[in-house]
Amino acid sequence: MTRSAQGPGPDVASGIARLEGYLLAQSRMSEARREAEDFADRMPWLTTAQREDVVSHYVQDRVALTRRVLTALVARAGELRQEYTARYEDLRRRLLCGSFAALLCSAALCAGAALYAR
């Protein structure tokens, strides 16, 4: 099977993920800048330098907040992955044991029925 029939390779997938992250970050920066400018527009008494300083600080604070939120989300996602993986493995183990027990019971019943039928 050719590479195109299998789908993109790991390098392509990694590059796409990085591009997606970059575009998302740029989108958040633009959004933060628009909000900062709207905020600064409510203070018409600011000089141009003061206005740009307010906008810059607002954007920096917003980016820092976004970074903290994303870091917390990534950490929580990792915790949930570990928790659900452990639950899945436990459930799989219990299902396997139950199936094996049912198979043994079925075999014992069949053997008992065969002995009783003689």
Side-chain angles (χ1 to χ4, degrees):
M1 205 180 268
T2 64
R3 164 83 56 202
S4 61
Q6 294 175 348
D11 292 340
V12 174
S14 173
I16 290 172
R18 288 178 56 199
L19 178 61
E20 184 181 31
Y22 173 79
L23 292 174
L24 180 62
Q26 291 303 311
S27 168
R28 295 293 183 220
M29 288 289 286
S30 296
E31 181 182 332
R33 182 126 187 108
R34 276 192 305 275
E35 288 179 10
E37 289 174 356
D38 289 344
F39 178 71
D41 286 343
R42 289 186 265 161
M43 297 177 268
W45 60 87
L46 294 175
T47 66
T48 303
Q50 290 172 329
R51 184 182 188 285
E52 292 199 9
D53 196 36
V54 167
V55 168
S56 174
H57 284 293
Y58 188 101
V59 170
Q60 288 174 2
D61 288 348
R62 182 68 186 276
V63 168
L65 174 65
T66 301
R67 185 169 285 135
R68 285 192 309 271
V69 168
L70 287 175
T71 302
L73 284 173
V74 167
R76 182 63 181 144
E79 292 170 2
L80 287 174
R81 178 180 292 126
Q82 289 176 345
E83 181 181 333
Y84 288 133
T85 298
R87 285 184 183 183
Y88 171 76
E89 288 174 359
D90 183 51
L91 184 61
R92 191 175 75 183
R93 186 174 23 262
R94 289 171 50 195
L95 182 62
L96 181 62
C97 289
S99 299
F100 187 68
L103 180 65
L104 285 178
C105 287
S106 298
L109 287 174
C110 287
L115 288 176
Y116 181 73
R118 282 190 189 187

